[in-house]
Amino acid sequence: AFAPAALLDDASVFQTSAPAGTFTARAANGEETEVEFSEDDLIILAGDAWNQFINDKHPGLRVHAPAHTFSVPADAPGLHRVWYGMMQLPPADAMSGKEGHGPTFAKLRQSIIEATTQMAGSALGLGCSGGLQARELTAMSCEANQIYCWHSCMVFNDTVNTEVCKTKGMEVKCMSQFGQVYRDVDGHGDYWPECSNATEFITPRPTVVQPTGACGSFQALIDDASYSKRKQLAADTYLLWKVVGDEVKCKMVTKGIVGWLGFGTANIGGKNNGMNGASVVMGLNDLKVGITINEYRIDDSKTGFRWWKTPLTSTNVKSKEMVATGCFSTMTFQTKAIGEVPLNMTGTNYMLWALSKQANPTTDFGGYAPYHTGVSGDDPAQYRGLVKVDFSAGQEISASTAVGACDSRSSALLWAPFLAALAATMSSFAELF
């Protein structure tokens, strides 16, 4: 769903003296039409997931997901083109295929991510219908004062450029914090230009060693009678809590051994759905220095742990304990505030959580904590999320195992408003279907 593009001047005043661009859609018969929108329109456009998960499973009107393009005005001096949109992804457990026996959306999404990383082009068609294939992000031609680094052309600066690096007997290279060279097949990470003679390419960090023997009862762990409330955050992750005076005692539990666990207050309005600028309690399973639990404030714009690795001096959090041995990992703490953010003991708290089993964190190499995912890099949606909680009432108001996505256990209810809105809007765009 999106609102039509608009042009603003430097004073943020809407201007209609010049067009904001053109939007062209291709109908089911192949005819392409330039679509005109009113400034107060809300456009709901069916995506290819409609073919994958809905059209072949439900009788009635077959909805066409139109290919579409837009063009930006070539000349609009002093004006700025703005627009707003939101993409609604299918639930993680939605089944593809005509009979609903195909891979889930979560599996398709992960296959595409892996294919992009491994340059396995044939797999990029998995998430598309009708023989279509997802675009593959590859190296681009950068300018003489740039280097291709982390899927973009990064501009040289005063300390890292061809001339400076040459005087050092080095070259400008795209590097990781571990002194390894980035290539366009290396996917997500934290990379930047540097003067270097390194030749070793990016290699995965050693994964967290997981249990292989018999395990005790996970259910007994989450049924801990010393906590009055509990909430399932993901398939194998739970939050337990109880109110103690004007504080709340929390326990985060998950199957397997983690590299780190984190729980905190979302920064409403912050980047990445409130992650940037959030205050969190984070337990690190560092093999060199041991387990530590501290309060942190995530940087307002940078997500890499090395940018916000210094713990806060706050003493709000007490009774801290993290266990990452045997078959399970837990983090326990009691507090009435995280960082400078007090918890609301009589109403709603917007919380976020995350964990990683991909690798152990380290204070070396400038400080490192791995991406929120499993040992094999599986679905990141199972390793972080948002939840709104009323601690005193003991109510989980709404939750999502994926930031910005649907809770797979109530997907039908969450999709209902979207489907109703689409049905109400269909008649306005009948020529596209």
Side-chain angles (χ1 to χ4, degrees), residues 223-228 230 240-242 249 251:
D223 285 341
D224 187 340
S226 61
Y227 295 88
S228 58
R230 53 197 38 79
L240 286 59
W241 77 87
K242 67 175 180 179
K249 185 174 182 179
K251 185 175 186 178

Side-chain angles (χ1 to χ4, degrees), residues 158-179:
D158 292 339
T159 58
V160 179
N161 57 62
T162 304
E163 291 73 22
V164 170
C165 292
K166 186 176 180 179
T167 62
K168 298 178 180 180
M170 299 179 177
E171 301 176 22
V172 181
K173 295 188 177 185
C174 181
M175 303 294 295
S176 76
Q177 67 188 98
F178 303 105

